[in-house]
Amino acid sequence: MITWRRLGEPDFPQLRQWLAQPHVARWWNHETSPEAVKRDFGPAARGQEPSEDLLVLLDGEPIGLVQRCHFADYPDYLAELAAEVDVPDGAVTIDYLIGDPCRVGQGHGVRMIRAVVGATWTEQPDVTAIIVPVQVANRASWRALEKAGFHRVAEASLEPDNPIDDRAHYVYRIDRPTCPAAVQ
């Protein structure tokens, strides 16, 4: 069973280990020192930043992280993306990782994404769409989105997370279901 809770500072050692894993470091490009993780993830963990960092659990064991934020809370990011694709009012984005390399390739990412999307529709009635830009070369990430029900809506030129990458991104989107039964 996939569940989650807000990431807290006691989770930072686990997060540091995940961020250091080659399959994560390639796409997340974060410093992994205790100070850097505290700097980058501390404000959200303390509720001082509007984004949500969610520690994802599989049958009670931590396996990954989902970040969820409203584009409106990050105007520079919104402006960059809106110059490339339509971003409706109320749209959010997610980012995600499976931290344990032994859990990669088993469908957990797809299940994690589906679960967070479903919860977003239920818990945040103002959310109209979830839009996720993905570096074109990150096939595993965009395939997980496709399997979770997202549709590729554009190719965009966006600032990469990792400076070794070019600006080529696919943009994926899923809209709030119009049928209330589909939200659950």
Side-chain angles (χ1 to χ4, degrees):
M1 169 187 255
I2 298 275
T3 58
W4 57 85
R5 62 174 171 75
R6 188 174 282 274
L7 182 76
E9 290 194 24
D11 302 311
F12 288 178
Q14 175 72 74
L15 181 58
R16 287 182 57 233
Q17 289 176 3
W18 289 345
L19 291 170
Q21 293 294 322
H23 75 281
V24 175
R26 169 63 183 93
W27 302 110
W28 278 67
N29 194 39
H30 272 273
E31 294 176 50
T32 59
S33 70
E35 299 78 21
V37 170
K38 186 173 183 176
R39 175 195 69 221
D40 294 342
F41 294 90
R46 294 186 300 273
Q48 298 168 332
E49 186 173 322
S51 69
E52 297 174 280
D53 293 336
L54 307 171
L55 183 73
V56 178
L57 310 161
L58 175 64
D59 298 328
E61 294 296 319
I63 63 161
L65 179 78
V66 172
Q67 292 182 316
R68 179 173 56 187
C69 68
H70 290 257
F71 282 106
D73 292 329
Y74 298 90
D76 292 343
Y77 186 37
L78 172 59
E80 180 186 22
L81 187 61
E84 299 278 335
V85 299
D86 175 47
V87 180
D89 291 342
V92 301
T93 190
I94 59 172
D95 203 352
Y96 40 84
L97 64 85
I98 297 292
D100 181 350
C102 295
R103 302 276 188 169
V104 172
Q106 299 177 10
H108 300 308
V110 174
R111 291 178 52 212
M112 180 173 75
I113 293 166
R114 281 184 185 146
V116 169
V117 167
T120 300
W121 303 144
T122 302
E123 298 166 3
Q124 299 187 26
D126 61 322
V127 172
T128 56
I130 302 172
I131 301 173
V132 184
V134 179
Q135 190 7 276
V136 167
N138 192 348
R139 180 177 166 76
S141 182
W142 53 261
R143 286 293 294 140
L145 289 169
E146 290 173 352
K147 291 175 184 177
F150 283 72
H151 301 281
R152 186 182 304 172
V153 296
E155 293 184 24
S157 176
L158 302 168
E159 188 67 33
D161 290 331
N162 191 328
I164 69 170
D165 291 317
D166 62 26
R167 295 180 57 88
H169 285 73
Y170 291 141
V171 180
Y172 283 84
R173 177 173 169 163
I174 191 168
D175 291 303
R176 174 178 288 283
T178 55
C179 177
V183 170
Q184 301 171 2

